[in-house]
Amino acid sequence: TLQLRLDPNDAPVVIPLAEYEYKPEHMRFDIGANVIDVDGRTVEIDTAAVVQSGRTYVPYRAIGELLGAEVAYDSHVRTITTTFDDTVLTMTIGYNHYAVNGTVYQMDAAPYINSDNRTMVPLRFLGEALGCKVTPQYAADGTTSGVLVER
């Protein structure tokens, strides 16, 4: 489910992800937070974005579906397939290769399953494969504090 709040003080409105058809223009993730800003609205997610080995990872299904994609996971081969408009993106847990419409590319980080049993993927590769601009945001000490994803 997706929980939307028009104001941080409001009770969340719960929407089944399968019925969520809005495609946002801007999404901002704060590292370690279980909420993201989606076009000025607060959206609660069950696993926070994290930085691991210099890469920002996000919970795959929630983010893919927020972007308007259809996400499927095959547990037998540990492969995630995302369909977004005319783009099909495929990633496999533990492998640093991914495919966009059948063309294979390499990334410097691999998807993994976290302790909450959520599939975490490198945000830059997911966002850019789906046609989004991904911009890191930095704290005063130079560490990544968040990421902005724009269409």
Side-chain angles (χ1 to χ4, degrees):
T1 62
L2 179 66
Q3 296 185 16
L4 297 176
R5 297 171 197 250
L6 297 179
D7 181 284
N9 298 320
D10 289 345
V13 175
V14 178
I15 301 171
L17 280 174
E19 296 178 19
Y20 184 76
E21 294 183 17
Y22 173 75
K23 294 183 181 178
E25 294 295 318
H26 301 88
M27 295 171 54
R28 185 177 192 293
F29 301 85
D30 289 326
I31 303 304
N34 281 42
V35 294
I36 57 177
D37 180 290
V38 180
D39 287 340
R41 292 185 173 91
T42 301
V43 176
E44 191 172 321
I45 55 178
D46 59 0
T47 297
V50 297
V51 174
Q52 182 173 307
S53 301
R55 284 283 169 224
T56 301
Y57 284 84
V58 295
Y60 190 79
R61 181 175 297 278
I63 303 315
E65 289 179 351
L66 276 171
L67 288 170
E70 180 182 320
V71 178
Y73 179 68
D74 183 333
S75 61
H76 298 289
V77 291
R78 298 171 44 117
T79 299
I80 315 143
T81 302
T82 306
T83 305
F84 181 78
D85 295 332
D86 295 329
T87 302
V88 177
L89 168 66
T90 306
M91 292 183 177
T92 301
I93 303 299
Y95 291 92
N96 64 346
H97 290 84
Y98 66 105
V100 178
N101 293 334
T103 302
V104 177
Y105 300 94
Q106 186 170 355
M107 52 188 163
D108 59 1
Y112 69 94
I113 296 177
N114 72 5
S115 61
D116 295 331
N117 205 31
R118 296 289 179 250
T119 301
M120 303 295 283
V121 298
L123 177 59
R124 176 167 306 282
F125 297 103
L126 170 63
E128 290 179 355
L130 297 180
C132 299
K133 178 182 175 187
V134 179
T135 308
Q137 315 239 300
Y138 299 103
D141 65 1
T143 60
T144 303
S145 62
V147 179
L148 179 63
V149 177
E150 301 171 284
R151 281 194 197 268

